[in-house]
């Protein structure tokens, strides 16, 4: 059955907005963050490729949402360097953030205030001394003991999370140009996928971090690979500037199972927590789209489109709390760039 999307709230983020992440951990599932990236004059977007050293600033905006009273509250603002990506820790209410200054920052939700408190920051070693290197994306291993960080110089780093704090283990050159994205394989934490502006989808065996083994360099994409999502059942979803969502079987990666044109360049892919093969896609120059992926990954169908935004669609995520009395009703948040707009919406399946 088709679904419909209704906007519940909009919010002016002031700075250009590019990422949304909803906390998955009880009792904090009412919280989500929006990350921002304030552009300097002359820059066109996150992906403009401006090579000069530029001051970029950002903010973490913390929100709470109460579905029973339909109440959205802006709880906190944290000043940071410009934010490129954020991810909640898989085991605890800690938030990792990567920035244009080349840092990975770690925050934790305080039990008493239910606001974010800074834990520590780690600078990712640069490829060259005094070169500008932006941290572009991150992903957590399923156990939360490691994080992968990709950067604007084509590098990928592994960071260890230890009792003493974060520790950088190793960085290697994975791509010729920007390494836009990285993702651990959910079934095998020794496998890391990376995507770059060189159009390559790479698979690395990271059991030996001093010399990660490149298992495969896939050339299926017609433009830069911008988003990766490891799904259950040996499936991997990818997004690209070439407008297509692709689904791969990770046991046979030479070609994809299917590709589906969502339009506008696909920057972010987020699975519905209640229906993991229902994907919310940030289609940069088009809209936000919800698509359904079949069990075997060979069928992809458009479920609903969300056209509330008038600028580059970058950030999106689902709430981990649904409205049980309405069955499939699911909340999600989206954000866009130049109109610095955050939206909170609900997806409902039509009878």
């Amino acid at each position: 059955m088709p679904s419909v999307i209704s906007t519940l709230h909009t919010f002016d983020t002031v700075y250009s907005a590019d990422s949304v992440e909803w906390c998955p951990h009880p009792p904090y599932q009412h919280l989500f963050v929006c990350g921002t990236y304030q552009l300097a004059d002359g820059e066109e977007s996150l992906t403009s490729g401006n090579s000069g050293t530029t001051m970029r600033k950002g903010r973490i905006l913390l929100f709470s949402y109460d579905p029973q009273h339909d109440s959205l509250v802006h709880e906190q603002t944290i000043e940071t360097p410009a934010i490129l990506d954020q991810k909640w820790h898989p085991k605890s209410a800690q938030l990792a953030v990567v920035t244009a200054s080349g840092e990975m920052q770690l925050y934790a939700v305080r039990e008493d205030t239910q606001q974010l408190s800074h834990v520590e920051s780690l600078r990712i070693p640069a490829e060259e001394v005094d070169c500008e290197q932006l941290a572009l994306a991150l992903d957590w291993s399923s156990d939360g003991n490691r994080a992968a960080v990709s950067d604007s110089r084509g590098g990928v780093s592994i960071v260890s999370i230890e009792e003493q704090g974060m520790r950088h283990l190793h960085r290697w050159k994975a791509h010729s140009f920007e390494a836009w994205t990285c993702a651990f394989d959910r079934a095998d934490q020794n496998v890391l996928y990376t995507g770059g502006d060189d159009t390559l989808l790479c698979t690395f065996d990271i059991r030996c971090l001093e010399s990660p083994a490149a298992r495969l360099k896939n050339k299926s994409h017609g433009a830069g690979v911008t988003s990766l999502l490891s799904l259950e059942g040996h499936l991997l979803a990818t997004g690209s500037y070439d407008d297509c969502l692709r689904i791969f079987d990770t046991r046979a990666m030479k070609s994809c199972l299917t590709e589906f044109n969502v339009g506008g360049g696909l920057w972010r892919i987020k699975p519905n927590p209640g229906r993991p093969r229902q994907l919310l896609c940030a289609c940069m120059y088009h809209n936000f789209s919800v698509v359904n992926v079949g069990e075997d990954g060979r069928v992809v169908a458009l479920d609903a489109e969300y056209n509330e935004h008038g600028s580059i669609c970058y950030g999106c995520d689902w709430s981990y709390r649904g409205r049980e009395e309405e069955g499939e009703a699911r909340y999600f948040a989206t954000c866009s760039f130049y109109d610095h707009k955050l939206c909170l919406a609900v997806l409902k399946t039509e009878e």
Side-chain angles (χ1 to χ4, degrees), residues 147-275:
V149 179
S150 63
D151 64 58
S152 60
R153 298 282 173 170
V156 176
S157 295
I158 301 296
V159 174
S160 176
I161 311 301
E162 304 170 358
E163 289 186 6
Q164 303 93 321
M166 294 189 292
R167 183 165 66 95
H168 183 268
L169 298 180
H170 185 65
R171 178 188 180 274
W172 72 95
K173 187 80 167 181
H175 294 274
S176 302
F177 303 106
E178 291 93 340
W180 289 123
T181 184
C182 56
F184 284 94
D185 187 291
R186 295 307 168 204
D188 185 351
Q189 296 295 280
N190 292 312
V191 173
L192 184 74
Y193 305 106
T194 68
D197 209 46
D198 53 9
T199 78
L200 293 179
L201 164 62
C202 296
T203 305
F204 290 96
D205 185 329
I206 58 172
R207 282 176 292 185
C208 180
L209 274 178
E210 290 74 18
S211 56
R215 287 185 176 179
L216 184 71
K217 292 186 177 181
N218 182 281
K219 301 179 180 179
S220 298
H221 301 78
V225 180
T226 51
S227 188
L228 296 168
L229 176 66
S230 179
L231 297 167
E232 295 178 355
H234 302 286
L235 298 181
L236 178 71
T238 72
S240 170
Y241 288 135
D242 67 10
D243 299 352
C244 288
L245 169 70
R246 289 177 174 84
I247 307 297
F248 290 84
D249 184 328
T250 58
R251 297 164 296 184
M253 289 277 289
K254 288 187 177 180
S255 60
C256 63
L257 297 172
T258 188
E259 63 180 55
F260 184 80
N261 193 312
V262 292
L266 179 50
W267 183 253
R268 190 77 77 212
I269 310 169
K270 290 290 187 173
N272 184 334
R275 297 175 58 189

Side-chain angles (χ1 to χ4, degrees), residues 4 27-28 40 47 77 83 102 177 199 217 231 239 289 317:
V4 294
Y28 308 116
T47 61
T77 297
I83 293 169
F177 303 106
T199 78
K217 292 186 177 181
L231 297 167
S289 293
D317 200 14

Side-chain angles (χ1 to χ4, degrees), residues 288-304:
F288 291 94
S289 293
V290 178
V291 300
N292 292 320
V293 178
E295 287 295 318
D296 63 358
R298 296 183 183 277
V299 177
V300 178
L302 181 66
D303 187 32

Side-chain angles (χ1 to χ4, degrees), residues 106-164:
L106 194 62
Y107 297 84
V109 178
R110 292 184 51 167
E111 291 185 18
D112 54 348
T113 63
Q114 296 203 6
Q115 292 195 341
L116 290 169
S117 176
H118 180 259
V119 177
E120 62 178 313
S121 297
L122 175 71
R123 184 170 296 279
I124 303 299
E127 182 178 53
E128 301 172 4
V129 177
D130 295 329
C131 77
E132 184 181 51
Q133 181 172 293
L134 285 66
L136 298 179
L138 78 143
D139 192 36
W140 288 103
S141 60
S142 293
D143 59 14
N145 293 332
R146 294 179 296 175
V149 179
S150 63
D151 64 58
S152 60
R153 298 282 173 170
V156 176
S157 295
I158 301 296
V159 174
S160 176
I161 311 301
E162 304 170 358
E163 289 186 6
Q164 303 93 321

